Amino acid sequence: MSDWFTIENIEALEAQYRTLGPIIGLLFPFLEAFLPFLPLVAFVVANASSHGLWMGFLLSWVGTVSGSYSVFLLVRQFGKYPKVQKFIKYKKMQKLIRWVDMKGIAPLFILLCFPFTPSVLVNIVAGLSDIKKKIYLVVLLTGKFVMILTISLLGYDIGALLRSPIKLILVIVAIVLLWIIGKIIEKYLNKRVERELKEVSKIRKQKKLKMTPKE
């Protein structure tokens, strides 16, 4: 099935159903979050070629973030049930979940920036961890932004990039800038999480002191 989802076939499908083009452009990246064997890179490149660089990027970004966050919410809602835990192999993921709980959002953000990271695994681990919903949404938006924009820039017109060293240099500079921006966002989010954890720790200590009987 995955062999059918080539860039040429996707572009032909969007051309055939031109009025539904944007919906298809959103749908395929959305489905990839649930079906990881589907080629996300092919969808992103096809969207950039069919709809233009920026519209194609937007469709791919919104689609993949929506799909990933839906998986996260479903796991957060139903992941506590034994049958679901057996299906998603919860015991094998326990070490990853603890690692995420200890390290915070930094590893998740870094993993989401790479196009070949198994995002469904990241979404499931995040759903089973203690990370807050709003924080994970921000991590998804920023991480997927870096990844999708990078693929869109590189895949929009590879031939033109190779023929024009200036364009190639600009793309490389853009990728470096995105990486720097990503690191800034990562540091900001980490500080926020650390601050919240300290506040929680203080509240727990205060509660313990109140519950401790005075001599």
Side-chain angles (χ1 to χ4, degrees):
M1 183 178 177
S2 59
D3 293 337
W4 185 89
F5 288 99
T6 62
I7 295 171
E8 293 78 10
N9 288 340
I10 298 165
E11 288 178 350
L13 183 65
E14 291 187 353
Q16 185 177 356
Y17 300 98
R18 190 166 294 278
T19 55
L20 298 175
I23 297 175
I24 295 172
L26 281 168
L27 182 62
F28 283 158
F30 179 88
L31 290 175
E32 186 274 337
F34 292 87
L35 306 171
F37 60 83
L38 296 178
L40 178 61
V41 173
F43 298 151
V44 175
V45 173
N47 277 342
S49 299
S50 300
H51 303 284
L53 176 60
W54 298 112
M55 179 56 71
F57 155 74
L58 186 62
L59 291 172
S60 300
W61 183 47
V62 172
T64 191
V65 169
S66 300
S68 295
Y69 199 58
S70 297
V71 172
F72 168 80
L73 291 176
L74 286 171
V75 173
R76 178 59 58 89
Q77 181 67 30
F78 302 106
K80 60 184 178 180
Y81 296 108
K83 289 184 178 179
V84 177
Q85 289 184 354
K86 189 176 181 181
F87 176 75
I88 60 179
K89 300 178 181 178
Y90 174 76
K91 289 183 179 179
K92 290 184 178 181
M93 291 187 181
Q94 281 182 325
K95 288 183 179 179
L96 283 172
I97 296 165
R98 289 197 206 100
W99 185 64
V100 169
D101 285 335
M102 288 174 61
K103 297 291 183 179
I105 59 175
L108 296 177
F109 173 79
I110 293 168
L111 287 171
L112 290 169
C113 287
F114 291 94
F116 300 106
T117 298
S119 60
V120 66
L121 177 62
V122 176
N123 296 327
I124 290 173
V125 170
L128 294 170
S129 71
D130 294 328
I131 188 171
K132 291 186 177 181
K133 294 178 183 179
K134 290 180 180 179
I135 291 176
Y136 189 63
L137 178 59
V138 174
V139 173
L140 265 179
L141 287 168
T142 52
K144 292 291 187 181
F145 181 91
V146 174
M147 183 189 75
I148 299 299
L149 186 57
T150 302
I151 298 172
S152 299
L153 287 170
L154 292 174
Y156 176 60
D157 193 347
I158 297 174
L161 288 176
L162 295 175
R163 290 191 298 270
S164 175
I166 295 174
K167 288 183 178 179
L168 183 60
I169 291 169
L170 288 173
V171 169
I172 293 171
V173 171
I175 292 170
V176 172
L177 286 174
L178 286 171
W179 181 83
I180 293 170
I181 293 168
K183 294 300 289 184
I184 292 170
I185 294 169
E186 176 191 338
K187 287 180 180 178
Y188 166 76
L189 291 172
N190 270 332
K191 286 180 180 178
R192 181 174 175 179
V193 171
E194 287 175 7
R195 187 167 62 248
E196 289 182 359
L197 287 173
K198 286 180 180 178
E199 288 176 0
V200 171
S201 180
K202 284 181 180 178
I203 292 169
R204 287 178 179 175
K205 285 180 180 179
Q206 288 173 358
K207 286 182 178 179
K208 284 182 179 180
L209 289 171
K210 288 180 180 179
M211 291 175 67
T212 302
K214 295 181 179 180
E215 294 181 358

